[in-house]
mmCIF file with all atom_site columns, all heavy atoms in Angstrom:
data_model
loop_
_atom_site.group_PDB
_atom_site.id
_atom_site.type_symbol
_atom_site.label_atom_id
_atom_site.label_alt_id
_atom_site.label_comp_id
_atom_site.label_asym_id
_atom_site.label_entity_id
_atom_site.label_seq_id
_atom_site.pdbx_PDB_ins_code
_atom_site.Cartn_x
_atom_site.Cartn_y
_atom_site.Cartn_z
_atom_site.occupancy
_atom_site.B_iso_or_equiv
_atom_site.pdbx_formal_charge
_atom_site.auth_seq_id
_atom_site.auth_comp_id
_atom_site.auth_asym_id
_atom_site.auth_atom_id
_atom_site.pdbx_PDB_model_num
ATOM 1  N N   . THR A 1 56  ? 7.367   -20.854 -3.851  1.00 0.00 ? 56  THR A N   1
ATOM 2  C CA  . THR A 1 56  ? 6.547   -19.851 -4.535  1.00 0.00 ? 56  THR A CA  1
ATOM 3  C C   . THR A 1 56  ? 7.375   -18.645 -4.932  1.00 0.00 ? 56  THR A C   1
ATOM 4  O O   . THR A 1 56  ? 7.871   -17.899 -4.079  1.00 0.00 ? 56  THR A O   1
ATOM 5  C CB  . THR A 1 56  ? 5.377   -19.384 -3.645  1.00 0.00 ? 56  THR A CB  1
ATOM 6  O OG1 . THR A 1 56  ? 4.531   -20.502 -3.353  1.00 0.00 ? 56  THR A OG1 1
ATOM 7  C CG2 . THR A 1 56  ? 4.555   -18.309 -4.354  1.00 0.00 ? 56  THR A CG2 1
ATOM 8  N N   . ASP A 1 63  ? 2.013   -5.289  -19.024 1.00 0.00 ? 63  ASP A N   1
ATOM 9  C CA  . ASP A 1 63  ? 2.423   -4.667  -20.282 1.00 0.00 ? 63  ASP A CA  1
ATOM 10 C C   . ASP A 1 63  ? 1.494   -3.534  -20.681 1.00 0.00 ? 63  ASP A C   1
ATOM 11 O O   . ASP A 1 63  ? 0.256   -3.679  -20.654 1.00 0.00 ? 63  ASP A O   1
ATOM 12 C CB  . ASP A 1 63  ? 2.443   -5.708  -21.401 1.00 0.00 ? 63  ASP A CB  1
ATOM 13 C CG  . ASP A 1 63  ? 3.492   -6.775  -21.187 1.00 0.00 ? 63  ASP A CG  1
ATOM 14 O OD1 . ASP A 1 63  ? 4.654   -6.401  -20.975 1.00 0.00 ? 63  ASP A OD1 1
ATOM 15 O OD2 . ASP A 1 63  ? 3.149   -7.975  -21.218 1.00 0.00 ? 63  ASP A OD2 1
ATOM 16 N N   . PHE A 1 384 ? -34.068 31.853  -3.161  1.00 0.00 ? 384 PHE A N   1
ATOM 17 C CA  . PHE A 1 384 ? -35.454 32.000  -3.603  1.00 0.00 ? 384 PHE A CA  1
ATOM 18 C C   . PHE A 1 384 ? -36.345 32.531  -2.482  1.00 0.00 ? 384 PHE A C   1
ATOM 19 O O   . PHE A 1 384 ? -37.300 33.292  -2.732  1.00 0.00 ? 384 PHE A O   1
ATOM 20 C CB  . PHE A 1 384 ? -35.986 30.666  -4.119  1.00 0.00 ? 384 PHE A CB  1
ATOM 21 C CG  . PHE A 1 384 ? -35.434 30.281  -5.457  1.00 0.00 ? 384 PHE A CG  1
ATOM 22 C CD1 . PHE A 1 384 ? -34.655 29.159  -5.600  1.00 0.00 ? 384 PHE A CD1 1
ATOM 23 C CD2 . PHE A 1 384 ? -35.689 31.066  -6.593  1.00 0.00 ? 384 PHE A CD2 1
ATOM 24 C CE1 . PHE A 1 384 ? -34.125 28.808  -6.823  1.00 0.00 ? 384 PHE A CE1 1
ATOM 25 C CE2 . PHE A 1 384 ? -35.165 30.715  -7.822  1.00 0.00 ? 384 PHE A CE2 1
ATOM 26 C CZ  . PHE A 1 384 ? -34.386 29.594  -7.945  1.00 0.00 ? 384 PHE A CZ  1
#
Side-chain angles (χ1 to χ4, degrees):
T56 298
D63 295 307
F384 286 116

